[in-house]
């Protein structure tokens, strides 16, 4: 699957089976190169759709999960930063409350045939091994 983004083709990279992302449940973490820097990202399911973001709070650029893969609050309605309590909307990544500036950096995802894939972009690339 290739999509045009900014004149460069996007690559779809297998992330996980669809069943690994449960509604409001544990995230699936993965590593990316964002603007040349090694960054963790995470994928979640919310309102039946899959979403992914860089694991980097907009308040202070540190990882947000309070335990590995745990981003949702107790209600399953918000993504919370464990350090200072910034809350983000799971479906858009936009700041909802707390000390956040703007929204989380979105990672494009697609879901088809029981598989979730993340999509590269000009600033978002797979790690080179």
């Amino acid at each position: 699957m290739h999509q045009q983004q900014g004149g460069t083709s996007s690559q779809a990279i297998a992330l996980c089976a669809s069943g690994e992302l449960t509604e409001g449940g544990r995230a699936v973490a993965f590593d990316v190169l964002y603007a040349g820097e090694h960054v963790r990202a995470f994928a979640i399911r919310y309102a039946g759709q899959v979403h992914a973001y860089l694991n980097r709070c907009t308040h202070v650029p540190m990882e947000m999960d309070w335990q590995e893969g745990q981003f949702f609050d107790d209600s399953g309605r918000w993504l919370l930063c464990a350090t200072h309590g910034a809350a983000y909307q799971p479906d858009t990544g936009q700041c909802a409350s707390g000390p956040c500036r703007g929204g989380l950096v979105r990672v494009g995802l697609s879901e088809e045939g029981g598989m979730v894939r993340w999509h590269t972009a000009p600033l978002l690339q797979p790690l080179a091994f």
Side-chain angles (χ1 to χ4, degrees):
M1 176 184 294
H2 290 280
Q3 297 175 335
Q4 292 297 322
Q5 289 185 349
T8 61
S9 62
S10 171
Q11 180 182 3
I13 299 173
L15 176 60
C16 65
S18 292
E20 291 183 50
L21 293 176
T22 58
E23 186 71 29
R26 187 179 212 74
V28 171
F30 57 108
D31 295 307
V32 299
L33 278 178
Y34 179 71
E37 183 181 349
H38 178 187
V39 180
R40 297 284 282 170
F42 65 96
I44 52 139
R45 184 177 301 278
Y46 178 75
Q49 301 296 311
V50 292
H51 305 278
Y53 305 99
L54 295 185
N55 188 357
R56 181 182 281 180
C57 186
T58 63
H59 171 227
V60 176
M62 51 195 314
E63 291 189 358
M64 301 183 346
D65 41 346
W66 50 276
Q67 288 183 351
E68 180 71 29
Q70 298 290 344
F71 292 90
F72 281 101
D73 69 347
D74 290 341
S75 74
R77 175 63 189 97
W78 306 105
L79 300 175
L80 289 183
C81 178
T83 305
H84 299 115
Y88 298 91
Q89 296 174 356
D91 53 348
T92 65
Q94 290 304 305
C95 179
S97 67
C100 40
R101 301 181 190 103
L104 300 173
V105 176
R106 181 180 286 280
V107 177
L109 285 186
S110 61
E111 183 174 27
E112 186 178 355
M115 180 63 74
V116 176
R117 293 173 175 83
W118 70 275
H119 297 264
T120 61
L123 291 178
L124 195 65
Q125 296 296 315
L127 290 180
F129 293 100

